[in-house]
Amino acid sequence: MSDVWAGSRDADAAVASKAEVEVTSSVGLLNGTEVPTSAIGHAASATPIRPLGLCRGAVGLIGAALALCVLLTESPGRPLASRFGSRAFRGDIHLAAGNFAVLSDSISSSSQTFAGCDYGYRQPCIGPLNVEGQRRLWLIQAGADTPGKTSAPVTVRECNSVAVPMTGRAYFGDACTPSHAPFYSPQLYANILFSGQAFSYTVDVSAADCGCIVALYLVSMRHNHDEPGSCGSDYYCDANTVCGVACDEYDVMEASKYAFHATAHSRSDRSGLGSGLGGQATGLNVKDYHPGSECIDTDRPFQVEAYFPPGNMMVITLSQHGRDCTPQAFGVRYPGIDASLMRGMTPVISYWSAPDTGWFDGPAYTPDAPSMCATSKPSKCGRVAHFSDFKVGPPRWPIPTLPPAPLPPAWTYQVGGQSNFSGSSGVGDPLHEALRRSHPNCTDPDPVHC
């Protein structure tokens, strides 16, 4: 790898030097003296990609052109030859060239550029990612999974297939990260306008057993300008302030083989409003989503489409190639979705686990539904989850009519191996009450986060 980078760097230097000699010669013809190459810029590039060398030459030529404009527009009454030889003009052209040299230096030291789908980009740049309906995007590795905990390296193959290992997290980017620190800035992250659009992809959650969560969600990272956070200063934010920074979050998918949640959060709403299957979520039928199901067999890859029609809605449709069942559609209405999406949001993918995921896949469920996950089993989580075939565009499926918010269901819950039952409306949520009793030292206002 080092030989390849060194060779590219040498080629870059040669191209840039040639271009700069040409600019220097042009400047010398104008004022009768030779402008030092240092006034134009440095030949070596911090990011060894050959086109940058050509850009540097072009930038220098632009600087000279601007200086000529200054020459021809200032003091029009003076003879042209007098203006060419004036000290003011020599200063102007040096200044113009110098300013554009600074600009070219900032370009050369910024993001890595495309060199092929499976090229060995320097971390935390993972690699390019094709998203149909968008220009080429990039995947950027998280600075950390949680404060002080390393994020496992995510990989992308052929600009399409993404492998997310346990504790891995990655962000969609408009540009690849620089080769050298500081790696992160909000401007790197993709800011996709999802309003009125559908975001679709294929996912494989067959590795995610009870207590394991494969996630794809949208957050307002591009708009987090001031708080780098506590996860490697990567400017990550979410509604649960995992890395110390809060922002709006729309969970298109938190999924395992047994549960699927879609949840909308404002930056100040940790619990949010959700639908789907598992825990308190409703909208997706358990018979249509489980390993071996005739509709969505979660032991095989399936397709997810998240559509964001006007009206503060997020509509999720699940389908699977080769299945004749009606695509499963559900979703939420949540104030603020339209405004957030019109500002633009950054997709994030992750794979994580926890010892207590009752809010997600059990132990709370309606009495007439089969038990899914009585206990979390993080030790059974498979190594990797997979995503592919990302697309942004018109929805494939018709918009379903979202039902009104259901009445609070009758919950069952487990504490210490004992099943308990509580009536429905008019009482507190027994899941949360059970979690409070089982976590007496929890200080979080919402015990599902303990």
Side-chain angles (χ1 to χ4, degrees):
M1 180 66 72
S2 59
D3 293 340
V4 173
W5 282 82
S8 298
R9 187 180 298 109
D10 293 341
D12 238 12
V15 172
S17 297
K18 182 177 184 295
E20 288 165 358
V21 167
E22 293 172 354
V23 175
T24 301
S25 300
S26 300
V27 174
L29 288 175
L30 291 176
N31 65 10
T33 59
E34 183 175 338
V35 177
T37 303
S38 60
I40 306 298
H42 305 289
S45 170
T47 304
I49 303 298
R50 183 168 300 187
L52 286 178
L54 296 173
C55 291
R56 297 172 65 82
V59 163
L61 288 171
I62 292 171
L66 283 182
L68 281 172
C69 289
V70 173
L71 166 73
L72 296 174
T73 55
E74 287 188 348
S75 304
R78 294 179 58 190
L80 186 61
S82 170
R83 278 180 274 162
F84 268 111
S86 72
R87 178 177 300 176
F89 172 69
R90 288 198 298 270
D92 288 340
I93 199 164
H94 276 266
L95 179 62
N99 286 344
F100 273 82
V102 172
L103 175 60
S104 66
D105 281 343
S106 68
I107 293 173
S108 66
S109 63
S110 63
S111 61
Q112 302 170 62
T113 56
F114 181 73
C117 281
D118 297 321
Y119 183 76
Y121 298 92
R122 294 188 180 184
Q123 288 283 337
C125 177
I126 299 168
L129 180 67
N130 291 334
V131 178
E132 186 177 340
Q134 300 286 300
R135 63 187 180 86
R136 180 184 295 116
L137 299 181
W138 296 82
L139 272 184
I140 297 174
Q141 183 74 37
D145 179 33
T146 55
K149 184 178 179 181
T150 302
S151 175
V154 176
T155 59
V156 57
R157 294 186 59 191
E158 300 178 350
C159 295
N160 178 61
S161 180
V162 181
V164 187
M166 178 55 64
T167 73
R169 186 171 71 243
Y171 316 126
F172 284 36
D174 273 339
C176 186
T177 54
S179 299
H180 306 287
F183 299 110
Y184 299 108
S185 71
Q187 289 72 28
L188 288 174
Y189 300 125
N191 193 53
I192 302 176
L193 304 178
F194 288 106
S195 182
Q197 299 286 310
F199 184 29
S200 61
Y201 55 91
T202 297
V203 66
D204 184 347
V205 299
S206 59
D209 210 300
C210 295
C212 321
I213 300 177
V214 181
L216 185 149
Y217 50 106
L218 314 177
V219 293
S220 303
M221 287 180 67
R222 182 67 169 265
H223 308 290
N224 173 27
H225 301 294
D226 304 319
E227 299 182 81
S230 54
C231 290
S233 298
D234 63 5
Y235 291 86
Y236 174 71
C237 61
D238 61 23
N240 280 281
T241 61
V242 168
C243 298
V245 185
C247 66
D248 293 346
E249 173 186 345
Y250 302 121
D251 300 325
V252 170
M253 179 189 83
E254 290 178 298
S256 70
K257 294 194 293 185
Y258 305 103
F260 192 112
H261 285 208
T263 310
H265 307 257
S266 71
R267 60 176 294 144
S268 59
D269 182 4
R270 286 188 167 195
S271 297
L273 179 64
S275 64
L277 172 67
Q280 302 179 66
T282 59
L284 177 61
N285 196 316
V286 67
K287 71 179 180 62
D288 294 325
Y289 184 93
H290 61 80
S293 170
E294 295 183 0
C295 190
I296 306 295
D297 178 1
T298 55
D299 278 335
R300 298 174 50 227
F302 59 92
Q303 288 68 51
V304 180
E305 179 183 277
Y307 178 41
F308 302 95
N312 291 317
M313 290 189 289
M314 177 171 64
V315 179
I316 308 298
T317 304
L318 307 183
S319 60
Q320 193 166 48
H321 295 320
R323 300 287 174 166
D324 295 329
C325 72
T326 302
Q328 301 299 295
F330 50 95
V332 297
R333 294 179 185 268
Y334 189 83
I337 289 180
D338 288 354
S340 294
L341 295 179
M342 290 178 69
R343 293 180 66 214
M345 304 197 81
T346 303
V348 178
I349 51 178
S350 67
Y351 182 30
W352 58 283
S353 65
D356 187 352
T357 56
W359 59 272
F360 170 66
D361 54 12
Y365 45 81
T366 53
D368 57 349
S371 301
M372 290 178 292
C373 292
T375 58
S376 300
K377 302 174 183 177
S379 61
K380 286 194 172 184
C381 295
R383 192 174 62 86
V384 179
H386 296 273
F387 294 86
S388 62
D389 305 323
F390 295 97
K391 178 181 178 181
V392 176
R396 178 184 177 190
W397 307 107
I399 306 172
T401 300
L402 295 183
L407 293 174
W411 304 105
T412 59
Y413 55 93
Q414 282 188 324
V415 180
Q418 298 296 318
S419 293
N420 299 276
F421 175 80
S422 175
S424 57
S425 59
V427 299
D429 176 3
L431 170 62
H432 285 73
E433 294 305 318
L435 288 172
R436 290 188 192 284
R437 290 195 295 271
S438 62
H439 296 80
N441 297 321
C442 176
T443 59
D444 195 295
D446 189 343
V448 301
H449 304 123
C450 296

